[in-house]
Amino acid sequence: MTSLPNLKIDPQRLWDTLMETAKIGGTPKGGIKRLTLSEEDRRVRDWFKAQCEALGCDVTVDEVGNMFARRAGRNNDLAPICMGSHLDTQPTGGKFDGVLGVLGGLEVLRTMHATGYVANAPIELINWTNEEGSRFAPAMLASGVFAGVFTPEYAFDRKDRDGTSYGDALDAIGYRGAEKAGGHRLGAMFELHIEQGPILEDERKMIGVVTGVQGMRWYEVTVSGQDAHTGATPMYLRKNALLGAARMIDAIDAIALEHAPNAVGTVGLIENKPNSRNVIPGEVFFTVDLRHPDEQVLDVMENKLRAKLKDVMGLLKLAYDEKQIWRSPAVEFAPELIACVRHGAEKSGYAMREMVSGAGHDAAYIARVAPTTMIFVPCAGGVSHNEAESTTPEECAAGAQVLLEAVLEYDRRLEA
Ligand SMILES: [Zn+2]
């Protein structure tokens, strides 16, 4: 086993680059408006390509516009070790969401170039197209195509509010590449990102070692009882649908608490019929949102939900209909990559904590086709998707340094 040199990223160069590119689509309030496949997106893509080529990287583009900048390694038969995130933003986006993951990766490439360090495997930096999904829904569209979740045709047909298709927008800015999406080899992917939540700042930790993305399940429940006069119907003869729903709201809260601290359970929408002060409610519709990082725990929570519905409604002589209407499976990131991130944070001396992402990211789809993980750094107040989004130069530098260390450690382990 060879030991690694002590490569250090350049914090000032990274910060200057973040601030320089923030001018492309920069807003008066200090944010960025750089919608996918817009003229601003073309400008930042051209800039990105030129910067990577100046480092001797080959830049290729796939059919849905994903960009890959490749720095050759010593053994170019190995699948590339990748870093990446997205350069598109929300209409009132901040300077760091997605951008830090790409420009942090660029800083890693610049550091390797400046020191002449050549890794064992090729190292690639990826700009995923349309992560935000604000111009073309859904979000994470092009990483989804790469991972086989969507077909390329599905992506090309997405339309913005003006009726322009994704395919036409790609052509208009000249970023419809020749390579099949998903045809690109990908040995591993590390995505550096701001947390978009308040935990790291609250606990004064610099690095979030991200172990996965939580699973989500949505349900709809309709409870049926009988409308009846509130004055003339004695308590023991009522079929009060709202009472059934109320007991379930309390029960769902309890189910989440039984799986603390990682479970959450919410009834967020409720419709009561006929919603009249002197009528016992005959029908209630409500939604249920259950989330947990572990699918098996979600299965248990789902079973509890169904058992409780049966009990509560039986006792109150109510009928009900329940169905799961949507689920997004939990993602577990690759242990060998997580270990490299932890190693990188330890080597750099940063306080860290393990965490699960509450938000979706390109990495969640890429994890289906390649070993993947993420690195989080704090953002002030947990505020994101907002022009006021704020991460300090020190936090950006810490993330990029840990990204560098993690990539080099993974590369070293390939050789070992
Ligand atoms: Zn993002």
Side-chain angles (χ1 to χ4, degrees):
M1 289 220 267
T2 51
S3 66
L4 291 170
N6 279 316
L7 298 186
K8 291 271 177 276
I9 65 110
D10 182 336
Q12 190 62 48
R13 183 171 57 190
L14 171 61
W15 187 254
D16 290 346
T17 305
L18 282 161
M19 294 306 118
E20 182 191 338
T21 57
K23 291 177 191 157
I24 304 175
T27 63
K29 286 184 183 168
I32 303 179
K33 178 184 180 182
R34 204 158 57 211
L35 296 178
T36 297
L37 309 182
S38 63
E39 177 58 19
E40 289 76 23
D41 192 16
R42 181 194 65 74
R43 282 172 59 205
V44 80
R45 284 165 175 265
D46 290 353
W47 175 91
F48 173 74
K49 185 167 185 279
Q51 296 299 314
C52 293
E53 285 175 349
L55 303 175
C57 295
D58 282 328
V59 179
T60 56
V61 182
D62 74 12
E63 60 187 326
V64 288
N66 295 320
M67 300 176 72
F68 304 84
R70 179 186 180 94
R71 175 176 169 81
R74 292 193 300 278
N75 180 356
N76 292 305
D77 293 333
L78 290 170
I81 303 171
C82 301
M83 310 173 281
S85 196
H86 57 97
L87 289 172
D88 70 324
T89 76
Q90 291 284 325
T92 52
K95 292 194 283 289
F96 305 96
D97 176 359
V99 182
L100 178 61
V102 178
L103 301 189
L106 178 63
E107 178 54 36
V108 169
L109 291 179
R110 284 173 168 171
T111 302
M112 294 174 81
H113 181 74
T115 54
Y117 184 82
V118 179
N120 192 32
I123 307 294
E124 290 195 7
L125 176 56
I126 306 174
N127 173 30
W128 298 108
T129 303
N130 193 36
E131 193 277 345
E132 295 290 1
S134 51
R135 182 176 177 198
F136 300 101
M140 302 173 283
L141 183 60
S143 56
V145 174
F146 189 94
V149 178
F150 311 117
T151 63
E153 291 69 33
Y154 175 81
F156 297 144
D157 289 346
R158 298 302 93 206
K159 292 205 170 52
D160 67 9
R161 285 226 199 104
D162 300 329
T164 304
S165 72
Y166 184 98
D168 287 346
L170 265 181
D171 290 331
I173 66 162
Y175 274 90
R176 190 198 287 254
E179 192 172 60
K180 290 293 289 175
H184 197 95
R185 284 182 88 194
L186 208 158
M189 190 181 80
F190 293 89
E191 181 171 3
L192 167 64
H193 207 280
I194 58 170
E195 180 195 350
Q196 300 178 284
I199 299 171
L200 291 175
E201 183 184 55
D202 184 58
E203 295 186 4
R204 297 174 191 279
K205 299 281 189 341
M206 187 60 106
I207 297 293
V209 178
V210 189
T211 57
V213 182
Q214 69 183 352
M216 303 164 227
R217 298 186 190 181
W218 285 359
Y219 310 82
E220 289 180 351
V221 181
T222 303
V223 183
S224 303
Q226 187 161 31
D227 299 358
H229 195 289
T230 54
T233 315
M235 298 307 280
Y236 72 97
L237 285 177
R238 293 179 179 211
K239 292 179 181 171
N240 184 341
L242 185 58
L243 183 61
R247 290 191 183 169
M248 285 310 301
I249 293 169
D250 195 39
I252 288 157
D253 195 69
I255 290 167
L257 289 171
E258 284 163 19
H259 298 276
N262 290 327
V264 287
T266 311
V267 174
L269 189 160
I270 180 162
E271 284 169 6
N272 181 50
K273 287 180 189 167
N275 214 28
S276 170
R277 74 183 67 224
N278 58 353
V279 182
I280 296 163
E283 187 180 305
V284 174
F285 168 89
F286 65 92
T287 61
V288 184
D289 173 325
L290 301 180
R291 303 185 189 212
H292 194 278
D294 183 335
E295 285 293 312
Q296 285 180 339
V297 176
L298 275 172
D299 287 342
V300 172
M301 292 170 69
E302 181 174 288
N303 288 338
K304 286 181 178 178
L305 169 70
R306 290 184 171 150
K308 198 72 192 176
L309 269 170
K310 196 159 178 266
D311 285 359
V312 165
M313 302 308 162
L315 210 61
L316 296 171
K317 300 187 199 67
L318 296 164
Y320 69 97
D321 176 61
E322 169 266 321
K323 55 179 179 293
Q324 187 189 91
I325 59 148
W326 180 71
R327 68 189 284 168
S328 172
V331 177
E332 286 183 36
F333 287 144
E336 65 273 27
L337 272 68
I338 296 169
C340 293
V341 173
R342 198 180 288 113
H343 169 91
E346 264 163 22
K347 188 176 171 194
S348 314
Y350 294 120
M352 68 180 120
R353 70 131 42 219
E354 284 198 355
M355 57 200 309
V356 171
S357 175
H361 293 288
D362 292 313
Y365 280 151
I366 300 309
R368 298 185 182 204
V369 291
T372 299
T373 198
M374 296 189 74
I375 303 163
F376 279 173
V377 291
C379 57
V383 173
S384 180
H385 284 189
N386 188 311
E387 290 162 288
E389 192 178 85
S390 171
T391 294
T392 66
E394 294 70 31
E395 289 161 345
C396 292
Q401 183 66 33
V402 172
L403 177 63
L404 169 68
E405 299 286 3
V407 166
L408 294 184
E409 176 64 13
Y410 188 79
D411 183 63
R412 187 186 68 85
R413 291 180 183 194
L414 283 182
E415 195 178 27

